[in-house]
Amino acid sequence: MLKAFYYLLVRDLRLAFRSRHELANPLIFFVLVVTLFPLAVAPSEDLLRVMAPGVIWVSALLSVLLSLDRLFKQDYEDGSLDQLMLSPNPLVILVLAKVSAHWLLTGLPLVLIAPLLGLFMYVPDEALGVLVLSLLLGTPVLSLVGAIGVSLTVAVNRGGVLLSLIILPLYIPVLIFGANAVDVASDGLSVRGQMLFLGAMLALALSLAPLATAVALRITASR
Amino acid sequence: MQRFSSPKHFFEMSAKLIPWFAVSALLLGVYGFYMGLFVAPTDYQQGESYRIIFVHVPAAWMSLFIYVVMAISAAIGLIWQIRLADTIAAASAPIGAWFTFLALVTGSLWGKPMWGTYWVWDARLTSELILLFLYFGYMALQSAIEDQRTADKASGLLAIVGVVNIPIIHYSVEWWNTLHQGATVAKFDKPSMHIDMLIPLLVLAVAAKLFYATMVLVRARNEVLYRDRNRRWVRELIEKL
């Protein structure tokens, strides 16, 4: 079981590294969207500092959303998804491996580049750590919950907008606590509560979302 | 159970039930609106405009109630493979979305004279709006998948995921609101309700439930006929006409 998890993880990572340009796309998108805000609003420091947590979090959210397609689309099209479902290993573990690979390829880079964007948006130095930590706890939830949505829509033609429609409402709690943590940290207050909430949501998503994803994949495959 | 949930049996049973639900919804509705709009006393703070709660509050209650009904029947459909339950879930979604929309519209119409603005990012308004989006997502997924069985199962799972998320969304929105806004909107302390206002409100809440029962049966009947359009019992029914 653990072996299956490991092999699938390595497979997905290897496949992703074979097409490196695709790997960078969500990251560039993330930086690009954040860059749009100073251009659209005004490059004033006070304004950007107020908006920073929300802008960075919303951009991260959209970036994960756009990259979700990668999670199952290719496997669905070339038939390896069916093979995975036929394998004797529990589907939940395989789903977990795929989601982990997805997070390592999209979520983690976002976390790592976030401090740079924090500087762009004049986030105070003492809040940069909180920004990184909140993204570190929040982005896995985005990948896990997103996996449910992708597995439901992977067989739908042009499912992109549909996917956003069904997934974005479910992302709201993560957005609220993530952005709020950074906001509060900028004022120099304690963010313990927000972090605990993000951690709780991660625990909940980690235990329930793969189950729902497995059921969803079976539904999709049954047609 | 199998016989009870067969489409044909449902079609016959619902024909008998609909008049009862419809008539009692109408009677209670007329009584409730008469009591609420003409008999109930004027509010000492809000004047006559408070009377919109007789539409708003039942609609808001129904919006959540219908989502839960939808998720439960979707779960029944998924677990026991009962198609009728899926049909009920699918038939409920548009009604629930309309109730949610109605709650939002009446809320903002009430908000204009009371708060001086149509829209406030109040915790309840916001979670109601998100609920509307959840309904939209369900309906979009339902209509995007061509195969009916798959569409039912997929959107059913989404409804279940949604119902798990509703409390989380609700409380995080409440938290967000208290953290961000605090006292920008001074909400009146709700005076405990006068009994003459409470009774019409409760009557109307029951009327709204009966109205929903009527509508969901009507919609589900249509849906059952459409889905079974190639089955023998539907053909026989048509030939009889």
Side-chain angles (χ1 to χ4, degrees):
Chain A
M1 221 165 76
L2 274 178
K3 255 188 182 170
F5 178 90
Y6 173 75
Y7 282 134
L8 191 55
L9 184 73
V10 170
R11 166 189 175 269
D12 271 19
L13 293 179
R14 192 173 290 153
L15 274 178
F17 277 107
R18 296 257 162 88
S19 51
R20 255 173 236 161
H21 56 284
E22 253 180 76
L23 205 59
N25 286 352
L27 201 59
I28 298 169
F29 177 84
F30 182 45
V31 179
L32 193 60
V33 172
V34 173
T35 314
L36 292 178
F37 280 87
L39 299 173
V41 186
S44 107
E45 195 181 324
D46 294 339
L47 198 61
L48 289 179
R49 179 175 292 156
V50 174
M51 288 170 45
V55 168
I56 295 174
W57 257 96
V58 169
S59 311
L61 204 129
L62 293 177
S63 170
V64 171
L65 189 72
L66 287 181
S67 70
L68 278 175
D69 215 28
R70 172 197 285 174
L71 198 51
F72 293 120
K73 192 83 181 172
Q74 239 178 359
D75 289 347
Y76 174 76
E77 279 166 357
D78 66 13
S80 27
L81 196 60
D82 291 323
Q83 297 297 325
L84 286 181
M85 270 184 274
L86 289 174
S87 94
N89 297 294
L91 189 54
V92 176
I93 298 296
L94 302 179
V95 164
L96 211 52
K98 288 202 72 72
V99 175
S100 312
H102 178 264
W103 180 74
L104 287 174
L105 292 166
T106 58
L108 191 59
L110 297 187
V111 175
L112 295 178
I113 206 160
L116 176 70
L117 295 175
L119 292 178
F120 275 13
M121 299 290 289
Y122 305 108
V123 174
D125 292 345
E126 59 271 21
L128 283 179
V130 172
L131 176 65
V132 170
L133 198 61
S134 69
L135 283 168
L136 199 61
L137 287 171
T139 45
V141 183
L142 302 182
S143 292
L144 283 161
V145 175
I148 306 174
V150 196
S151 46
L152 288 175
T153 55
V154 71
V156 177
N157 283 334
R158 292 185 298 275
V161 184
L162 180 66
L163 178 66
S164 341
L165 197 63
I166 66 179
I167 285 303
L168 279 177
L170 305 178
Y171 278 178
I172 289 171
V174 182
L175 176 71
I176 289 176
F177 285 108
N180 186 255
V182 184
D183 197 24
V184 168
S186 309
D187 296 338
L189 300 173
S190 158
V191 291
R192 201 180 135 83
Q194 283 84 340
M195 289 302 164
L196 288 177
F197 257 97
L198 281 174
M201 283 193 273
L202 177 57
L204 192 69
L206 200 59
S207 45
L208 290 183
L211 285 172
T213 310
V215 175
L217 283 176
R218 296 231 186 266
I219 291 171
T220 300
S222 69
R223 67 178 67 191
Chain B
M1 194 63 199
Q2 279 303 321
R3 201 186 73 87
F4 182 71
S5 65
S6 88
K8 187 171 179 239
H9 184 260
F10 169 76
F11 192 78
E12 287 158 1
M13 274 303 289
S14 58
K16 289 175 197 152
L17 285 175
I18 285 173
W20 289 99
F21 284 139
V23 170
S24 43
L26 190 71
L27 289 178
L28 285 179
V30 169
Y31 173 76
F33 276 122
Y34 175 73
M35 293 300 283
L37 298 183
F38 298 104
V39 178
T42 309
D43 189 86
Y44 78 103
Q45 258 182 337
Q46 306 185 7
E48 299 292 348
S49 3
Y50 91 94
R51 290 185 197 275
I52 204 164
I53 61 156
F54 293 118
V55 180
H56 175 73
V57 173
W61 283 344
M62 288 312 287
S63 63
L64 204 61
F65 175 78
I66 294 177
Y67 200 92
V68 173
V69 169
M70 207 171 86
I72 290 172
S73 46
I76 293 173
L78 264 181
I79 295 165
W80 288 287
Q81 306 281 329
I82 296 173
R83 288 185 183 202
L84 183 60
D86 289 331
T87 315
I88 299 278
S92 296
I95 311 173
W98 273 114
F99 269 119
T100 316
F101 182 70
L102 190 66
L104 281 169
V105 169
T106 50
S108 75
L109 285 178
W110 176 84
K112 183 65 184 169
M114 290 304 133
W115 294 339
T117 167
Y118 283 114
W119 185 259
V120 172
W121 289 99
D122 165 70
R124 285 190 185 179
L125 279 176
T126 312
S127 35
E128 196 71 9
L129 183 66
I130 297 167
L131 185 63
L132 186 63
F133 289 140
L134 287 177
Y135 274 116
F136 284 158
Y138 176 91
M139 291 192 288
L141 188 63
Q142 173 87 346
S143 61
I145 302 176
E146 270 176 38
D147 178 57
Q148 191 65 59
R149 277 303 277 158
T150 320
D152 281 340
K153 285 183 183 174
S155 51
L157 184 71
L158 184 67
I160 296 166
V161 172
V163 99
V164 172
N165 264 278
I166 282 179
I168 303 175
I169 293 175
H170 180 79
Y171 284 106
S172 40
V173 167
E174 207 147 274
W175 240 60
W176 155 78
N177 183 265
T178 47
L179 285 171
H180 272 244
Q181 281 205 322
T184 50
V185 182
K187 249 181 153 180
F188 307 90
D189 254 1
K190 259 195 190 149
S192 60
M193 218 178 209
H194 192 283
I195 191 77
D196 285 345
M197 299 177 185
L198 188 64
I199 287 172
L201 187 63
L202 293 178
V203 168
L204 283 168
V206 176
K209 290 223 167 39
L210 289 166
F211 173 75
Y212 161 66
T214 315
M215 290 316 290
V216 81
L217 286 180
V218 171
R219 292 187 59 93
R221 271 165 72 84
N222 282 339
E223 194 73 28
V224 159
L225 275 187
Y226 181 71
R227 290 182 182 192
D228 280 6
R229 59 191 178 280
N230 293 324
R231 294 275 188 88
R232 204 172 51 180
W233 71 271
V234 177
R235 289 208 180 139
E236 281 169 4
L237 205 71
I238 294 168
E239 274 163 25
K240 254 188 251 170
L241 294 173

